[in-house]
Amino acid sequence: LDSITFDTTKNISHFLRYNIIYNVSHFEFVYSYVILGFNKVMYENLLNFWLNRIMYFVFYIVKGWFWMKFNEESPFWRFATMLADFILLNLLVIVISIPIVTIGPVLAALFYTMMKFSENEDGYLVKTFWNELKHLFFVRVAVSLIYTAIIAATVYVIQFWYSFHNIFSMMLAIVFFLFLCMTITAMLISLARTQYFGTIKSYIRDGYLFIFISLKEAVAILAIPVILIGFSIFQETVLYFMGIIGISLMGYALAPLFHKMFSKVEKKHEV
């Protein structure tokens, strides 16, 4: 089953790869998303009219040159390969997360995959993700559910104290809000940490403990997904971006932060 799944995802990856290269070199793709993306009203003025004509000519020439010079070992081909793998991985993350309870294991597998990829940018992202998804699956579900319960209880407490509308209650609401931010960060750290063997109790304990050991990285780990989710709520374009490749890129951006945090902890243990 694993070999069949891997062969299927590998073929899909190759299919996406060729389509990305074709679309990037094809004028209609660039015309629609680059030119019309910046000019909502077509031919708004004479300058835009001639700009469209010039870009049509340029991309037509580039298209012919590209297909004549195409080389599978070129940097562009490697970039297209990576881009296709990121898109496919992004799709798998979304689909497998639909049951909700699987979000924890999915994020853990995503973090592990991107941490490995950031160390060595070779190999198949989808295969690594699929194999890691089955690793400690139920433990990761339990960890994510415990954190979800803590987050839900904290949100309720924040709403309770905020409803009183006095200085003391507002201060308490702020304190619990900070605890909420810390809990979300701890959950992400714990899920990334589950690639190492341990108990549910140790994962949750380490999630909070690592925040104080590596505060700068912890703030960045929280800020990246919060900013992306915030923009996705208010900007439809960002939402589409997240649905296509954004989640994979988020995992890739968090990978070096996890590496740095875990290496700090290991150095402290050695001392």
Side-chain angles (χ1 to χ4, degrees):
L1 181 61
D2 290 343
S3 61
I4 295 174
T5 303
F6 173 61
D7 290 337
T8 303
T9 54
K10 183 179 179 181
N11 291 333
I12 295 173
S13 178
H14 283 297
F15 172 78
L16 287 172
R17 200 176 301 165
Y18 281 107
N19 276 275
I20 288 169
I21 293 173
Y22 174 77
N23 285 327
V24 168
S25 64
H26 202 275
F27 162 72
E28 284 76 9
F29 177 87
V30 181
Y31 180 85
S32 300
Y33 290 94
V34 176
I35 302 303
L36 296 184
F38 289 99
N39 301 290
K40 294 184 180 180
V41 180
M42 192 173 182
Y43 306 141
E44 184 178 355
N45 51 47
L46 187 61
L47 178 62
N48 285 339
F49 174 83
W50 284 109
L51 177 63
N52 280 280
R53 292 301 180 185
I54 293 171
M55 292 301 291
Y56 180 92
F57 177 78
V58 170
F59 281 113
Y60 184 83
I61 298 300
V62 170
K63 175 184 175 181
W65 176 86
F66 176 80
W67 284 110
M68 287 189 295
K69 299 292 183 179
F70 181 72
N71 178 12
E72 291 193 6
E73 299 300 323
S74 66
F76 186 85
W77 172 257
R78 291 197 295 270
F79 172 76
T81 301
M82 182 184 70
L83 188 61
D85 289 342
F86 269 61
I87 292 173
L88 182 57
L89 179 60
N90 202 90
L91 177 63
L92 284 176
V93 168
I94 293 173
V95 172
I96 301 175
S97 297
I98 291 176
I100 306 299
V101 294
T102 57
I103 292 178
V106 166
L107 287 177
L110 175 65
F111 296 154
Y112 173 83
T113 301
M114 289 306 175
M115 289 175 71
K116 290 296 182 182
F117 182 74
S118 64
E119 292 177 344
N120 180 19
E121 297 187 359
D122 290 321
Y124 293 97
L125 292 176
V126 175
K127 181 181 180 181
T128 304
F129 172 82
W130 184 256
N131 290 335
E132 184 63 20
L133 182 65
K134 298 174 288 184
H135 177 65
L136 297 176
F137 181 86
F138 293 104
V139 172
R140 288 167 170 170
V141 169
V143 169
S144 60
L145 289 177
I146 292 172
Y147 273 113
T148 301
I150 297 173
I151 291 171
T154 306
V155 170
Y156 174 80
V157 172
I158 292 171
Q159 292 177 338
F160 173 78
W161 286 112
Y162 183 77
S163 63
F164 287 100
H165 299 291
N166 58 62
I167 296 177
F168 178 74
S169 62
M170 290 295 179
M171 290 177 63
L172 286 175
I174 292 172
V175 170
F176 280 103
F177 176 77
L178 294 174
F179 177 74
L180 174 65
C181 294
M182 188 169 67
T183 301
I184 296 173
T185 308
M187 179 179 66
L188 298 176
I189 295 171
S190 295
L191 290 174
R193 189 68 180 168
T194 53
Q195 62 183 273
Y196 307 101
F197 286 100
T199 62
I200 296 175
K201 182 180 178 181
S202 66
Y203 292 140
I204 295 175
R205 179 199 63 207
D206 291 345
Y208 286 103
L209 182 62
F210 286 11
I211 294 175
F212 299 99
I213 295 176
S214 186
L215 184 59
K216 291 181 180 179
E217 286 73 22
V219 172
I221 288 170
L222 175 65
I224 291 173
V226 167
I227 291 172
L228 289 174
I229 293 172
F231 275 107
S232 299
I233 294 173
F234 297 105
Q235 293 290 333
E236 189 175 355
T237 305
V238 180
L239 181 61
Y240 291 149
F241 170 77
M242 293 296 291
I244 296 172
I245 197 173
I247 299 174
S248 296
L249 290 178
M250 180 192 71
Y252 185 65
L254 293 175
L257 297 173
F258 288 128
H259 273 303
K260 191 172 182 180
M261 176 179 284
F262 296 160
S263 63
K264 281 185 179 181
V265 174
E266 290 174 0
K267 288 179 181 177
K268 284 185 177 292
H269 282 302
E270 290 176 0
V271 174

